[in-house]
Amino acid sequence: MRILIIGASGKAGAAIHHTLSERGYELIGVGRSSGDIHVDITDPAGLEELWQRVGSVDAVVSAAGDVPYRPLADLEPEDYLSAFHGKILSQINLVRTGLPHLNPRGSFTLISGILAREPIVTGAAAAMAGGAVESFVRAAALEIAPRRINVISPSVFTESLEDYGDFFPGFVPVDLSEVARAYVKSVEGAVTGQVLIP
């Protein structure tokens, strides 16, 4: 299986890359400044260049998406637009432009996050973005069959608690190995239109 990994050098992306490589797949890592191909997926021209270089794939997995964290009173319209472009539209465009390059029974796996269902203070933009991605996946699944699409919605990573744990009081963290396993379920399984919670 030939798999494109967006955000392959981030914490989640690296764990996904490691797990999928152990399963013997051909992996193509994509990042803004690292990986096999350097592309900013928020740039439509970058996506066009990506598909020209990659050709056809059996699966596309995304572990990328930037959103601002700020108290609601301090969030400006530009912050919501940043979350929209960084996490929602970038992943939607990845699917939209990738459909002609995905093999007939291939799959997309996107990323949202726990804030779509359990928000935190300073997380309004992130909650908006995650919820939008999940709604898009449910709708897109109706139209792209037999190709599949799912979204992974993890909690705060255990490996990130030192940096972000204070923002997620009482939340149960998830190990990156469990997140990677959820991606395997999406890539190798038969489900579609699902929000997978590792």
Side-chain angles (χ1 to χ4, degrees):
M1 196 180 293
R2 194 164 189 254
I3 302 176
L4 191 68
I5 303 180
I6 310 297
S9 62
K11 280 188 177 179
I16 296 160
H17 192 285
H18 173 74
T19 298
L20 291 175
S21 67
E22 284 190 328
R23 301 179 78 79
Y25 298 131
E26 178 189 350
L27 306 179
I28 306 162
V30 178
R32 286 181 181 156
S33 57
S34 61
D36 303 307
I37 299 176
H38 299 175
V39 166
D40 180 356
I41 68 164
T42 64
D43 176 13
L47 277 174
E48 184 177 331
E49 176 193 344
L50 171 65
W51 293 118
Q52 286 176 352
R53 293 181 62 182
V54 169
S56 64
V57 294
D58 300 296
V60 178
V61 302
S62 174
D66 294 330
V67 292
Y69 287 84
R70 203 166 285 128
L72 185 65
D74 297 335
L75 285 168
E76 300 289 340
E78 293 76 15
D79 294 313
Y80 291 104
L81 285 172
S82 174
F84 175 74
H85 287 286
K87 191 154 191 174
I88 304 169
L89 190 59
S90 60
Q91 294 193 95
I92 289 173
N93 279 338
L94 180 67
V95 173
R96 186 181 59 79
T97 61
L99 278 170
H101 304 274
L102 186 68
N103 288 336
R105 295 202 171 269
S107 68
F108 293 98
T109 307
L110 308 185
I111 189 165
S112 59
I114 194 171
L115 300 188
R117 60 188 184 279
E118 294 184 41
I120 60 169
V121 173
T122 75
M128 173 203 75
V133 172
E134 292 179 7
S135 293
F136 168 75
V137 163
R138 292 186 185 101
L142 300 177
E143 300 189 47
I144 69 170
R147 292 163 296 190
R148 299 179 300 103
I149 183 169
N150 297 295
V151 57
I152 309 301
S153 182
S155 183
V156 59
F157 305 143
T158 305
E159 293 82 353
S160 298
L161 284 178
E162 188 173 332
D163 296 323
Y164 301 108
D166 290 346
F167 296 99
F168 293 85
F171 280 62
V172 177
V174 60
D175 294 350
L176 284 170
S177 61
E178 293 297 322
V179 176
R181 232 186 315 272
Y183 276 86
V184 171
K185 180 179 182 179
S186 178
V187 169
E188 296 183 4
V191 298
T192 190
Q194 299 299 305
V195 178
L196 303 178
I197 301 171

